[in-house]
Amino acid sequence: MSFVGSMMTSAVLPFQIYHQTHSSLDVGLLGLAQLGPLLFFAILGGALADSFDKRRMLLVVTAVAICCSGGLAVNATLDHPQLWVVFVLGAATAAVFGSTTPVVRSLLPLLLEVELRPAAFTLQSTYGSFGMMAGPTLAGILIGAFGVKTAYFVDAGTFVLALVAFARLRPSPPVSGAPPASARSLLDGLRFLRGSLVTIVFGIDLLAMVFGMPRALFPALAQRLGGGPALYGLLLSSVAGGAFVASLMSGWTGRIRRQGAAVLMSVAVWGSAIAVAGLVRSVVLVLVSLAVAGGADMISGVYRSTIAADVTPDAMRGRVSGIELAVYAGGPSLGDVEAGVVGGLAGVPFAIVSGGVACVAAAGLFGAFVPRLARYVRPLPAEVVPAT
């Protein structure tokens, strides 16, 4: 439930900034303000997840999240909401997300047999895509009916529910043999990634998110298409809606062994669909194109996560998950900056189309010059030796 609330706030923040400043560039700067805290706390949170009780970490960061959402709500009730408060607390919400996600993601591979991981990551993607679909949609409805303050208050309420749920969990101590959190342990995680297939997978996703995620342009795009808050919410949720539908129809994904090629194909489809969304003026066609892009991203995400899980040692999962989050979540933040700058200088359609074309080009270049990814074939379950 708290993830739905978080996705609401991630939709409300750029909407509030755009309608206070009427600038896509300012919306892009929000992504820049969130990027540093997200990267730092994702990596730090990953190291702590390997070294401390995961239940205790979840309780602490959830309490901080309640304060952030509550502060945004109070600021929104003012006659003249302070923009600097939105930027500061928006950055803090990114730090909370960065701290929490590695803890949750590092648990999943430890709880499952190797052959069940693709299905588990598909289920996780279903949950995540539902939150990303429902959150922005609900945010658009609440903004239109009651204003941004109500959406922030609802988000704070979801974190209260999450705090109660986490308090009922059993302690989750670190894996046996995991090193204490330190600069050395962080460096060990980075050394593992150097030259690893995981790094290559991170790289292709980073390029796709930086150039192909036009999230910062959605407030302006909604206005260009003649819509208001409700259409803005639909634009955001359509990407997640496509991912949700794809996850419900993804039983076939576990049978694919050429997972590297599948990642590249998914990125190419993502970029093509984004480019189409920038070319057309029909609301329906834009929403359908974004949904197709979301479905392609969901399939790519299942294979990226499976590849990373198969080659990562158990005692290092928290650190790798933290770095993974820094890439996967930091990419859209950088994409907000890129889209905001290009959109502000060259216009919204050009920014969206050029970003989609860049994604297709990146997939082609990786296929041609990074054969290690293009030729990767996942071993049969009996051949996969769980890392320790």
Side-chain angles (χ1 to χ4, degrees):
M1 187 63 181
S2 64
F3 185 70
V4 175
S6 296
M7 292 301 98
M8 286 175 50
T9 292
S10 70
V12 176
L13 284 168
F15 182 89
Q16 181 180 3
I17 291 174
Y18 181 77
H19 283 271
Q20 280 190 226
T21 67
H22 303 287
S23 170
S24 292
L25 179 59
D26 286 337
V27 177
L29 292 177
L30 172 66
L32 187 62
Q34 292 179 312
L35 181 60
L38 178 63
L39 296 179
F40 177 80
F41 282 95
I43 295 172
L44 178 62
L48 294 176
D50 285 335
S51 308
F52 290 93
D53 185 279
K54 296 176 179 60
R55 171 181 173 272
R56 185 174 300 175
M57 286 187 63
L58 290 173
L59 290 173
V60 172
V61 295
T62 302
V64 175
I66 294 172
C67 296
C68 292
S69 298
L72 287 166
V74 171
N75 180 61
T77 63
L78 301 177
D79 292 336
H80 301 286
Q82 297 298 305
L83 194 61
W84 70 267
V85 173
V86 179
F87 273 85
V88 170
L89 292 182
T93 62
V96 168
F97 183 76
S99 301
T100 305
T101 304
V103 182
V104 177
R105 288 184 65 87
S106 62
L107 280 172
L108 184 60
L110 301 177
L111 301 175
L112 298 167
E113 299 295 333
V114 172
E115 61 268 20
L116 296 178
R117 286 174 182 167
F121 285 119
T122 299
L123 183 61
Q124 186 181 60
S125 179
T126 302
Y127 159 74
S129 58
F130 174 79
M132 289 186 287
M133 175 180 61
T137 301
L138 184 57
I141 294 171
L142 291 175
I143 292 171
F146 306 107
V148 298
K149 61 181 183 298
T150 301
Y152 289 136
F153 276 124
V154 171
D155 183 27
T158 65
F159 279 114
V160 171
L161 296 176
L163 188 67
V164 173
F166 291 147
R168 298 172 63 88
L169 293 176
R170 293 181 179 179
S172 180
V175 175
S176 177
S182 64
R184 181 176 180 179
S185 69
L186 288 174
L187 289 174
D188 287 342
L190 293 173
R191 290 191 189 98
F192 165 75
L193 288 174
R194 185 175 58 194
S196 169
L197 182 62
V198 179
T199 305
I200 298 173
V201 171
F202 288 176
I204 185 64
D205 183 70
L206 181 63
L207 289 174
M209 291 298 101
V210 169
F211 293 105
M213 172 52 83
R215 184 177 59 184
L217 300 174
F218 283 175
L221 180 60
Q223 195 172 68
R224 176 175 179 265
L225 295 172
L231 179 57
Y232 169 68
L234 287 174
L235 290 173
L236 285 171
S237 61
S238 61
V239 178
F244 182 71
V245 172
S247 68
L248 296 178
M249 304 171 62
S250 61
W252 56 271
T253 56
R255 299 191 293 272
I256 301 299
R257 295 183 60 208
R258 294 185 60 84
Q259 294 182 347
V263 169
L264 294 174
M265 290 180 62
S266 298
V267 170
V269 173
W270 158 272
S272 300
I274 291 295
V276 171
L279 287 171
V280 300
R281 292 294 296 265
S282 165
V283 172
V284 173
L285 289 179
V286 170
L287 293 176
V288 170
S289 298
L290 293 176
V292 171
D297 185 56
M298 178 269 161
I299 300 301
S300 172
V302 168
Y303 293 130
R304 294 194 313 264
S305 296
T306 302
I307 292 170
D310 285 346
V311 302
T312 301
D314 287 342
M316 202 171 284
R317 293 195 184 280
R319 281 163 287 172
V320 172
S321 293
I323 297 170
E324 179 182 19
L325 173 64
V327 173
Y328 291 173
S333 294
L334 284 173
D336 287 345
V337 179
E338 185 272 340
V341 171
V342 177
L345 294 176
V348 172
F350 178 83
I352 296 175
V353 174
S354 63
V357 171
C359 290
V360 176
L365 291 173
F366 265 70
F369 297 104
V370 190
R372 186 178 178 188
L373 175 61
R375 298 173 185 172
Y376 174 78
V377 178
R378 189 184 191 226
L380 294 172
E383 299 171 339
V384 177
V385 179
T388 57

